[in-house]
Amino acid sequence: MRNRSKPQGAFAVIGWTALSVVAPGAAHLRAGWRKTGLALLSTHTALLLGLLWTVLTADLGELAGRLVTSSWLTGVTVISLTLGVAWFALVLHSFAVLNPGRLPRVRRAIAGGVAGVLAVAALLPFGLAGQYAMVSQSALDQVFNAAPTPAPSQTSGISEASAQREEDPWAGRDRVNILLLGGDAGAHRVGVRTDSINVASIDVKTGNTVLLSLPRNLENVRFVPGSPMARRFPDGFRLPANPDGSREDLLFAVWEYADAHPEIFGGRRGQGTRTLMETVGHTLGLKIDWYALVNMWGFARLIDAIGGVRLTVPQDVVFGRYNEGLVKAGTRRLDGADAMWFARSRTYSDDYSRMGRQRCVLGALLRQADPATVLSRFNRIALATRDLLRTDIPRPMLEHLVPLALKVKNARVTTVQFVPPLISTGYPDWRKIRAVTARAVRASAASPERFDMTPAPMAAPTASPATLAPSWATTSPTGTPATSPTAAPTDTPTADTADTAATRPKGGSNARRRGPAVPKGITEGCA
């Protein structure tokens, strides 16, 4: 055992104290506290080996999913703060056992100051981890626990009970379909207008995703047969035009109209969400599981929170009621406001160009929101998220959606935009929309080797849109339309529609010039 009475220099005291921050027990061994030192070093080594084993053997996606559950976040908070306080005390004790009292006054003060800084430095990572966990729990509880309980007819079949079954959280489903909405509410507008309408259809095994974009100005919207809105509008959503010629009977106004007319639903209020989910699902031939409504300007705050997004503006984009704003062309990092105006402006443009720009912003955000950025700006991102999102996703499903989201980030994300010339927004071909949707979903599910991207030959329809069965009746457990003798969509669109926006084969006179839309990558077409 060392002679504890032998004094040590100030540098030795500081050095052994610093070593104790990363190797607890080192200072105790140096001071002759052999049993205590060995116990501390053994415990520390065991914890490090356990952490390494977890990282090497655990599914990091599942681990990330568990870390968003309320119980785990509470545990992380308590354990982090406890370990932080313990480590702080340990560093101070390591300093004390080195007998700093025998140092000259000035050197003792310097060594004590450095030891205090080291103790705070040891506490800081644990404090940050605990604080991140508390902020996460608060944000998640505010967003997800505030979601209203969906009506029985609105539930997706992926119940909370099935979500708790580790062996199959998706209740036998191969895909989940989430309606992603961009709300454009403002002081001069009443209710919720969903100016951005997309459905993310996600393969739960691979993460391959199809992003299906419907235009806000889709006319004559058809509702689920037998629903209250279908009884009110049997021939499609149609209202008298406004005095200035503008229309409020487009797809973007379905939510607001349903909310504003509870008499259609027997006096039940707040039916806009359910109505829009059913309507979009009926239009695409998919069963919508959940929705997420993003406040457009909340989204701008999220972009600011991650430090902006870098993208290429191919040409000047003018915005504002009096054309007073400008997003200049060029490649640079845009802040939240400029990114939103780039995505939303219709000045000297149209809804279809805007949909493409929105896709580019989403793609840039998906690429650039890397883990390092998220961790370094965690608090700002969490605070922005609380004001950003409104959803009916059950809190327990987050445990399974987080690992799925990690799969999506590294999987194939393709898009289909239902805009001219693929469809006419004034007179939509509902059968064609469902056929293109079904083909895109099959393309996403297939491996690249198995899926033939060559457009299929044309075929005439066998049923008119009016004879189509309800989408719920023609939806298979995988979320794609099932086969029906008279109503199911085929792989091909109608013959009298315009050329699609699909990529056409190159070649000679035998090259086919028409075919169903081929899904595009989310950043395809973005400069």
Side-chain angles (χ1 to χ4, degrees), residues 154 156 176-183 194-202 209-215 251 254-255 272-284 286-294 362 389-393 401 472:
Q154 190 180 343
S156 66
V176 292
N177 303 306
I178 303 176
L179 177 61
L180 306 175
L181 304 168
T194 51
D195 277 1
S196 176
I197 304 167
N198 300 275
V199 172
S201 180
I202 308 168
T209 300
V210 182
L211 193 64
L212 303 154
S213 299
L214 288 171
L251 179 60
V254 167
W255 181 323
T273 309
R274 172 184 172 187
T275 299
L276 184 60
M277 290 175 67
E278 291 180 346
T279 301
V280 171
H282 181 59
T283 300
L284 297 173
L286 298 174
K287 180 66 169 139
I288 304 299
D289 297 301
W290 303 293
Y291 84 95
L293 172 66
V294 174
L362 285 172
L389 192 63
R390 174 178 169 185
T391 183
D392 65 344
I393 296 174
L401 285 172
W472 304 162

Side-chain angles (χ1 to χ4, degrees), residues 194-323:
T194 51
D195 277 1
S196 176
I197 304 167
N198 300 275
V199 172
S201 180
I202 308 168
D203 187 309
V204 299
K205 293 184 177 64
T206 65
N208 288 347
T209 300
V210 182
L211 193 64
L212 303 154
S213 299
L214 288 171
R216 67 189 291 279
N217 61 335
L218 199 65
E219 297 185 41
N220 299 301
V221 174
R222 302 303 176 93
F223 300 102
V224 177
S227 67
M229 289 288 279
R231 290 193 292 269
R232 171 65 67 92
F233 302 101
D235 298 319
F237 191 32
R238 203 69 179 172
L239 297 170
N242 295 326
D244 62 357
S246 63
R247 306 203 64 90
E248 293 290 332
D249 53 5
L250 309 176
L251 179 60
F252 81 95
V254 167
W255 181 323
E256 191 276 332
Y257 186 89
D259 273 350
H261 294 82
E263 71 278 3
I264 299 177
F265 306 92
R268 298 193 305 276
R269 296 187 177 276
Q271 297 299 302
T273 309
R274 172 184 172 187
T275 299
L276 184 60
M277 290 175 67
E278 291 180 346
T279 301
V280 171
H282 181 59
T283 300
L284 297 173
L286 298 174
K287 180 66 169 139
I288 304 299
D289 297 301
W290 303 293
Y291 84 95
L293 172 66
V294 174
N295 177 285
M296 285 297 193
W297 291 109
F299 195 72
R301 287 193 291 274
L302 178 62
I303 290 175
D304 283 334
I306 70 166
V309 290
R310 184 173 180 82
L311 50 79
T312 296
V313 180
Q315 61 188 27
D316 289 354
V317 176
V318 178
F319 64 86
R321 179 172 295 184
Y322 305 105
N323 304 341

Side-chain angles (χ1 to χ4, degrees), residues 431 434-435 438 461-463 467-469 474 481-492:
R431 180 183 179 83
R434 295 177 186 181
T462 58
T467 63
L468 288 173
T474 60
T483 303
S484 169
T486 60
T490 65
D491 222 8
T492 57

Side-chain angles (χ1 to χ4, degrees), residues 1-78:
M1 180 177 291
R2 249 178 54 81
N3 182 3
R4 301 184 195 178
S5 64
K6 184 178 179 180
Q8 301 186 68
F11 287 112
V13 170
I14 292 172
W16 283 103
T17 303
L19 183 60
S20 296
V21 174
V22 294
H28 292 76
L29 288 174
R30 175 66 175 170
W33 295 48
R34 183 176 293 277
K35 290 184 179 180
T36 303
L38 289 175
L40 289 172
L41 274 175
S42 300
T43 302
H44 180 62
T45 302
L47 288 174
L48 288 178
L49 290 175
L51 181 62
L52 179 63
W53 179 83
T54 300
V55 170
L56 294 177
T57 61
D59 185 317
L60 296 184
E62 290 185 6
L63 184 60
R66 289 185 183 139
L67 283 175
V68 300
T69 62
S70 184
S71 59
W72 273 62
L73 285 173
T74 301
V76 168
T77 301
V78 173

Side-chain angles (χ1 to χ4, degrees), residues 90-105:
L90 179 62
V91 173
L92 294 182
H93 192 262
S94 298
F95 173 72
V97 300
L98 291 169
N99 241 344
R102 300 196 174 206
L103 295 173
R105 183 187 299 262

